[in-house]
Amino acid sequence: MNSGMQTQALLRLMAWLSPAFPIGGFAWSGGLERAVHDRLVTDANGLGHWLTVLIGHGALWTDGVLLAEGWQSHQDTARLADVAGLGLALAGSAERHAETLSLGRGFAAAAAAWPAPVLAIMPKDVPFPVAVGAVAAAHGIAVEQALAAYLHAAVSQAVSAGIRLGVCGQAQGLGVLAGLEPAIENFAGRAKDLTLDDLGGAAIQAEISSLRHETQHSRLFRS
């Protein structure tokens, strides 16, 4: 990829995965709110550990594998539909399902500002990481770059949620982001070799927190 294409890829990833991109990501915490409520996450160190586990063994690992498969499937209508259906089936709770579906639909709709053939074959019900992977591939963006940007945006949103929940301040939140760079870089470096055989997780407590959030009465976030 020449320097002009690299700059274009960077600009598009910055736009698509910016907090300002109109998909409503600010409304979701992925179960973090319940984890804070139950005092499973109480400070910046705990938040960093929580997100490290999600990247290596939890929902963000699953998202990364689905993104890579979406990237590979961007020209294959049937394969793209299959991975979209799988991604929705893997959502561990009603809120997780609603979150990835809402963000995926919003992303596909907003990404129409950058026309691409993949949007014509994108399933109506598409999980967020699948939509990001497919659209990135359609614009010639390397899967490693797409995955790194996706993970950075996801943990940035989680840190923002942690700040709003009183877990840490802004300076501490930046420290959490800095500490997560090696995990993000390592995962992104494996992106081109990921297949659906790599799906699997062990972040059981995070899944329980997501489920328990569904009955939490006082809350800031939808998940």
Side-chain angles (χ1 to χ4, degrees), residues 114-159:
W114 292 264
V118 69
L119 296 173
I121 67 169
M122 186 84 71
K124 177 182 177 182
D125 295 338
V126 59
F128 184 36
V130 174
V132 173
V135 170
H139 288 275
I141 297 172
V143 65
E144 296 93 334
Q145 292 177 319
L147 181 53
Y150 178 91
L151 292 173
H152 185 270
V155 298
S156 294
Q157 167 57 26
V159 168

Side-chain angles (χ1 to χ4, degrees), residues 4 6 11 41 65-66 90 99 102 113 142 147-148 152-153 157 160 164 188 219:
Q6 289 177 335
L11 289 172
V41 176
V65 176
L66 291 172
L90 289 173
E99 179 175 359
S102 173
L147 181 53
H152 185 270
Q157 167 57 26
S160 177
R164 292 170 64 186
R219 50 182 169 172

Side-chain angles (χ1 to χ4, degrees), residues 66 78-91 97 123 125-127 130:
L66 291 172
R79 184 176 176 183
L80 190 58
D82 284 346
V83 68
L86 176 61
L88 293 175
L90 289 173
H97 184 278
D125 295 338
V126 59
V130 174

Side-chain angles (χ1 to χ4, degrees), residues 202-216:
I204 298 172
Q205 188 62 69
E207 296 300 324
I208 292 173
S209 292
S210 180
L211 288 164
R212 295 190 69 188
H213 189 270
E214 295 177 8
T215 59
Q216 186 170 326

